[in-house]
Amino acid sequence: MPKTDEKISESIIAVVNSLDVQKLSAITTDTSLNMRNAWTVIENEFKHVFVGGCALTELDLLLKALVEIPAYAAVLKDVEFVARGIWECL
């Protein structure tokens, strides 16, 4: 495991150990490669804790990929227009 992955997992484990671990059920991080590599180490340390990525980050990455496809880009522009209109009414 690369040093960065080790440092991340060690840091998260240290923070979790400072808490009431039995009350912890999940840890959410971004989905960078370093974080994903650290997830396994953390889950091995705390068998009852789910470690995973942020759903909004995943959705953001998906939307960025979809915008690269011309057919989806046009639809997303329309969705953005409607969403901005709703936001302005709030």
Side-chain angles (χ1 to χ4, degrees), residues 3 15 17 20 24 27 31 40 56-57 61 67-68 71 77-78 85:
K3 291 246 184 239
V15 169
N17 280 328
D20 186 354
L24 185 68
I27 298 171
T31 56
T40 303
L56 291 176
T57 300
L61 293 172
V67 169
E68 300 299 318
K77 280 191 176 194
D78 291 342

Side-chain angles (χ1 to χ4, degrees), residues 79-90:
V79 169
E80 181 182 10
F81 176 77
V82 171
R84 286 185 188 275
I86 292 170
W87 180 254
E88 289 173 5
C89 292
L90 297 177

Side-chain angles (χ1 to χ4, degrees), residues 53-75:
C54 173
L56 291 176
T57 300
E58 293 296 324
L59 181 59
D60 182 53
L61 293 172
L62 174 63
L63 290 174
K64 286 177 181 174
L66 285 176
V67 169
E68 300 299 318
I69 301 170
Y72 287 107
V75 172

Side-chain angles (χ1 to χ4, degrees), residues 8 10 12 16 23 25 44 49 56 61 63 66 81 83 86:
I8 289 171
E10 289 171 2
I12 292 174
V16 170
K23 292 183 180 181
S25 61
N44 287 335
V49 175
L56 291 176
L61 293 172
L63 290 174
L66 285 176
F81 176 77
I86 292 170

Side-chain angles (χ1 to χ4, degrees), residues 33-54:
L33 182 58
N34 289 329
M35 285 298 194
R36 287 183 291 168
N37 290 338
W39 293 350
T40 303
V41 175
I42 297 163
E43 286 179 330
N44 287 335
E45 182 77 18
F46 306 106
K47 301 286 186 197
H48 69 285
V49 175
F50 168 78
V51 183
C54 173

